Amino acid sequence: MHIMEGFLPVSHAAFWGAASLPFFVIGIRRINQKVSANPRLKLLLALAGAFVFVLSALKLPSVTGSSSHPTGIGLGAILFGPAVMTVLGTIALLFQALLLAHGGITTLGANVFSMAIIGPFVAYYSYKLLSGLKVPAGVAVFVGASLGNLLTYVVTATQLSAAFPQADGGMYAAMLKFMSIFALTQIPLAISEGILTVLIFNFLKKYNLKELKDLNVVEE
């Protein structure tokens, strides 16, 4: 999902950058609202950001021009909502591009859209749907984090296939190729990330229960 520097055509890079910008602006406003209402949440915000940075830096070679790795976005999305994770994910991606040569500046918009926008939205609403159906919290967290990871890669495959359609079969054939290669590494990574997110979530329930109640993540 970290598409490397210079890999996308300029028009595609510009499109994904423009598409990501409104979500980032909304995310900044949401963070300001949450922190103003409860300054104690700053530590949890920092934890969510660090979780994204560390997990998404553990990359494995995958499709040419991209990589497979955990995303870490599910935890923060469940705690703070998807808009906040757009900001935290963007910061993590920017630092990785500058410090680790992981991703890139020209491809930042595309990487943000897949990992810091679509991934968090899928994780958050999957968790909320299952929670509303009274599914055990651990199961809801696992499914949300795992699906957020997998859908990130579906979007990346879509981005790559749109930029590089096959001569025979076009974008559809290219997407099948990208998805099949990603699946080899991403499915076990998504499952692993789901399990790890449940462990961290249970830890927070034990030691940061008040903050989770303030965020309406757990019931009173």
Side-chain angles (χ1 to χ4, degrees):
M1 153 268 317
H2 278 31
I3 301 175
M4 70 181 186
E5 176 66 36
F7 194 73
L8 292 178
V10 174
S11 59
H12 287 252
F15 171 82
W16 293 116
S20 299
L21 184 58
F23 293 92
F24 184 83
V25 173
I26 293 171
I28 291 289
R29 292 176 179 173
R30 292 289 170 82
I31 289 176
N32 288 335
Q33 290 170 355
K34 290 181 180 294
V35 171
S36 296
N38 188 353
R40 288 166 54 93
L41 296 178
K42 289 179 181 179
L43 288 177
L44 274 185
L45 277 169
L47 171 66
F51 193 63
V52 172
F53 182 85
V54 172
L55 285 195
S56 60
L58 304 174
K59 62 179 180 178
L60 299 171
S62 186
V63 173
T64 299
S66 187
S67 58
S68 288
H69 52 76
T71 65
I73 52 87
L75 178 66
I78 290 168
L79 294 179
F80 297 105
V84 169
M85 287 312 296
T86 297
V87 177
L88 298 185
T90 299
I91 293 171
L93 288 165
L94 179 61
F95 272 88
Q96 288 174 7
L98 294 174
L99 302 178
L100 304 178
H102 188 186
I105 300 301
T106 62
T107 57
L108 182 63
N111 292 329
V112 165
F113 196 86
S114 61
M115 193 184 93
I117 295 175
I118 297 300
F121 271 88
V122 171
Y124 176 77
Y125 285 107
S126 297
Y127 170 78
K128 295 296 286 186
L129 174 62
L130 293 177
S131 296
L133 296 174
K134 304 303 180 182
V135 171
V139 175
V141 170
F142 172 81
V143 172
S146 298
L147 287 181
N149 180 300
L150 287 175
L151 265 293
T152 292
Y153 284 85
V154 171
V155 174
T156 298
T158 302
Q159 292 169 329
L160 291 172
S161 60
F164 306 103
Q166 290 191 186
D168 184 15
M171 179 177 169
Y172 179 73
M175 187 168 180
L176 286 179
K177 179 185 72 175
F178 288 132
M179 285 297 299
S180 63
I181 298 173
F182 269 136
L184 296 174
T185 52
Q186 207 52 43
I187 290 176
L189 281 174
I191 294 172
S192 300
E193 180 174 339
I195 294 172
L196 178 60
T197 304
V198 171
L199 293 175
I200 300 297
F201 184 82
N202 288 340
F203 177 86
L204 293 176
K205 282 181 65 176
K206 184 175 182 179
Y207 294 103
N208 296 86
L209 184 59
K210 184 181 186 304
E211 287 80 1
L212 296 191
K213 287 180 178 179
D214 291 341
L215 290 167
N216 296 317
V217 176
V218 298
E219 297 179 355
E220 295 287 347

